[in-house]
Amino acid sequence: MSENHEKSPSERPIGSSIDEDDERDRLDREALSVPSSVAGSGSLDRLVDTARNYARAAASENTLKAYAKDWAHFARWCRMKGAEPLPPSAEMIGLYLADLASGSGPSPALSVSTIDRRLSGLAWNYAQRGFTLDRKNRHIATVLAGIKRKHARPPVQKEAILADDILAMVATLPFDLRGLRDRAILLLGYAGGLRRSEIVSLDCGKDDTPDTGGWIEILDKGALLELNAKTGWREVEIGRGSSDQTCPVHALEQWLHFAKIDFGPVFVGTSRDGKKALETRLNDKHVARLIKRCVLDAGIRADLPEKDRLALFSGHSLRAGLASSAEVDERYVQKHLGHASAEMTRRYQRRRDRFRVNLTKASGL
């Protein structure tokens, strides 16, 4: 999944609009309810609500929003073609994928990765409604294989923020309360190789809030983060830096001390004058905006127009920067980032010694 799910031109309403939140609520009611053979009761109804809450927690909020948009777009497309989205029709879905790849009317053709994501969204939505979408059906699999063969391109990667870049970025921040917070966000996110959602979901302690995504324990040698990440719970160790000016743990301590935060969300909003910490947890979009603003202020990639510079960097630039800058064995970087394979870690390494293992020479040539 992509960290951002911006509305593409192809997701604009076709005909009447559908509210995705209403669609998700209706899906919740359809997917989880008391069996018709069982008499309803107050306790069972409460369990249904509890089960629905757990079902929503099975995927991230961004993923659920994206899946709701996927279904709403497909349902509108079906109605425009005089068809119904239920029950699933492999033939119609094959035609839908072909339409997405070729583009129709004012809607441009979508990338292969977006089409793949759309198909995953449809499969998930059908499963929630009690249907099974057979992605191996020839009407779907063959069309998708042809789309990939004809239109697939190497993935577009965001620029990595390297060590010198991050130092230049934090140097642009003031030393008021808001500046202390943003400095801690950048340094902690970089040193931890954290996703932007992981940064803002941190709490001071375990079980501080219902929506916690992990917590922090500050020790003499560094900070220990327990994260509920995409692949499950993992532990991230962030050691102290060589100086207080660049140390992520020191920056975190400064923010928590002056913001007077010892419970609940670690990163919260500030008052308009920037002198008081509020109670509301920051949205993960703040991290993306912070990165882009500091990239401009620090003059990074000043050889490019501002629009191109902004497009080059995102929240993932912090993870890519750590993977590209850390001069340690690859397996340590893989563990730190929580990747299941070394191949995934290598995708994040924008610079590395690609020919360290020379099989040509090893084979005798």
Side-chain angles (χ1 to χ4, degrees), residues 32-34 39-54 56:
L32 294 169
S33 59
V34 177
S41 69
S43 60
L44 283 177
D45 290 339
R46 284 191 294 272
L47 282 176
V48 169
D49 290 337
T50 301
R52 286 173 180 164
N53 290 333
Y54 279 127
R56 293 190 191 102

Side-chain angles (χ1 to χ4, degrees), residues 1 3 41 64 69 110 124 128 140 154 160 164 178 199 208 219 257 260 264 350:
M1 288 291 301
E3 276 199 334
S41 69
L64 293 177
K69 290 179 180 179
L110 299 185
W124 185 88
Q128 302 311 302
I140 298 175
D164 289 341
R178 189 176 294 140
I199 297 172
D208 277 2
L219 307 171
H257 172 73
K260 298 180 175 61
R350 305 296 190 261

Side-chain angles (χ1 to χ4, degrees), residues 52-117:
R52 286 173 180 164
N53 290 333
Y54 279 127
R56 293 190 191 102
S60 72
E61 187 66 20
N62 283 342
T63 299
L64 293 177
K65 287 180 179 178
Y67 284 171
K69 290 179 180 179
D70 292 339
W71 181 259
H73 186 272
F74 176 63
R76 289 194 296 268
W77 183 89
C78 285
R79 284 193 293 274
M80 290 294 293
K81 304 302 181 185
E84 291 295 328
L86 293 172
S89 164
E91 293 86 350
M92 286 302 296
I93 292 175
L95 295 177
Y96 176 64
L97 298 181
D99 198 16
L100 295 180
S102 60
S104 60
S107 300
L110 299 185
S111 68
V112 172
S113 60
T114 301
I115 293 173
D116 225 353
R117 209 290 316 282

Side-chain angles (χ1 to χ4, degrees), residues 7 22 39 47 55 66 96 99 106 109 126 150 181 210 214 252 262 271 286 290 305 310:
K7 183 174 286 188
D22 290 345
L47 282 176
Y96 176 64
D99 198 16
Y126 276 124
K150 186 172 182 178
R181 178 200 65 193
L252 176 63
D262 57 10
S271 57
H286 172 81
L290 171 63
L310 291 174

Side-chain angles (χ1 to χ4, degrees), residues 12 33 67 76 122 128 132 135 138 154 179 182 198 202 210 231 249 258 307 314 332 336 345 350 356:
R12 292 170 187 160
S33 59
Y67 284 171
R76 289 194 296 268
L122 294 184
Q128 302 311 302
T132 299
R135 296 183 56 163
R138 62 187 178 89
D182 290 345
E198 294 171 344
L202 286 169
T231 55
V249 183
F258 287 103
K307 181 180 179 181
S314 73
Y332 296 116
H336 198 74
T345 301
R350 305 296 190 261
R356 181 172 57 87

Side-chain angles (χ1 to χ4, degrees), residues 13-59:
I14 303 174
S16 59
S17 62
I18 293 179
D19 188 291
E20 279 83 9
D21 289 333
D22 290 345
E23 176 67 19
R24 286 170 58 191
D25 290 341
R26 186 179 69 81
L27 177 57
D28 284 343
R29 292 192 298 271
E30 288 181 358
L32 294 169
S33 59
V34 177
S36 57
S37 59
V38 178
S41 69
S43 60
L44 283 177
D45 290 339
R46 284 191 294 272
L47 282 176
V48 169
D49 290 337
T50 301
R52 286 173 180 164
N53 290 333
Y54 279 127
R56 293 190 191 102

